[in-house]
């Protein structure tokens, strides 16, 4: 319940910040966020491959300060990806994108919300273990 509530609150806060133009999705913002998101994705992929060989990166999965810090950073990155989704949807509407593009915007938003929810679940789990 806490993770779902946090996810909804983060979504609402970032939507408000985006609509009121407090947060802008500039080209440098998008470039940096894509790079960080890609790095996190590569790290997760490497961790999955290493786990096939019995190598586990426990420092990122326990309830220590490094693990909690990593979860906070990944949660912030997941939340900032919502801004890119809002920008994609707004630009599609402004440029009169074809009707089928609505599904891409909705799917991107849903994937980002699920990612944020899972990361917040991990963070809350680590905080409750301490």
């Amino acid at each position: 319940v806490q993770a779902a509530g946090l996810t909804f609150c983060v979504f609402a806060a970032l939507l408000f910040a985006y609509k009121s133009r407090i947060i802008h999705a500039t080209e440098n913002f998008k470039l940096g966020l894509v790079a960080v998101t890609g790095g996190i994705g590569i790290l997760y992929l490497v961790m999955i491959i290493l786990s096939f060989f019995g190598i586990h990166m426990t420092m990122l999965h326990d309830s220590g300060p490094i693990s909690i810090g990593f979860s906070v950073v990944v949660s912030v990155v997941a939340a900032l990806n919502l801004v890119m989704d809002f920008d994609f949807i707004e630009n599609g509407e402004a440029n009169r994108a074809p009707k089928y593009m609505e599904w891409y915007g909705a799917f991107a938003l849903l994937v980002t919300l699920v990612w944020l929810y899972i990361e917040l679940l991990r963070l809350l789990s680590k905080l409750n273990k301490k």
Side-chain angles (χ1 to χ4, degrees):
V1 174
Q2 288 176 335
L6 276 172
T7 302
F8 178 75
C9 288
V10 168
F11 173 78
L14 283 174
L15 182 60
F16 174 76
Y18 182 79
K19 281 299 197 181
S20 61
R21 301 293 179 210
I22 295 171
I23 296 177
H24 300 283
T26 64
E27 291 303 314
N28 286 336
F29 174 82
K30 292 177 191 177
L31 181 65
L33 195 57
V34 167
V36 172
T37 303
I40 291 169
I42 291 171
L43 177 65
Y44 281 162
L45 184 64
V46 167
M47 287 171 41
I48 290 169
I49 292 170
L50 288 176
S51 71
F52 292 149
F53 300 104
I55 303 169
H56 299 284
M57 298 181 73
T58 56
M59 72 176 179
L60 295 180
H61 298 296
D62 62 2
S63 61
I66 292 174
S67 178
I68 292 172
F70 179 74
S71 288
V72 168
V73 168
V74 174
S75 297
V76 168
V77 170
L80 289 176
N81 271 282
L82 287 171
V83 175
M84 283 187 36
D85 294 338
F86 299 149
D87 185 61
F88 176 76
I89 293 168
E90 188 177 57
N91 285 337
E93 181 185 4
N95 295 325
R96 296 184 175 211
K99 191 81 170 158
Y100 69 89
M101 291 298 290
E102 291 176 357
W103 287 100
Y104 289 108
F107 183 70
L109 194 59
L110 182 64
V111 167
T112 304
L113 285 171
V114 169
W115 180 32
L116 177 61
Y117 174 71
I118 290 170
E119 289 304 328
L120 289 173
L121 272 176
R122 285 183 184 164
L123 178 61
L124 290 172
S125 171
K126 291 174 185 179
L127 290 173
N128 285 334
K129 286 181 186 176
K130 264 199 146 280

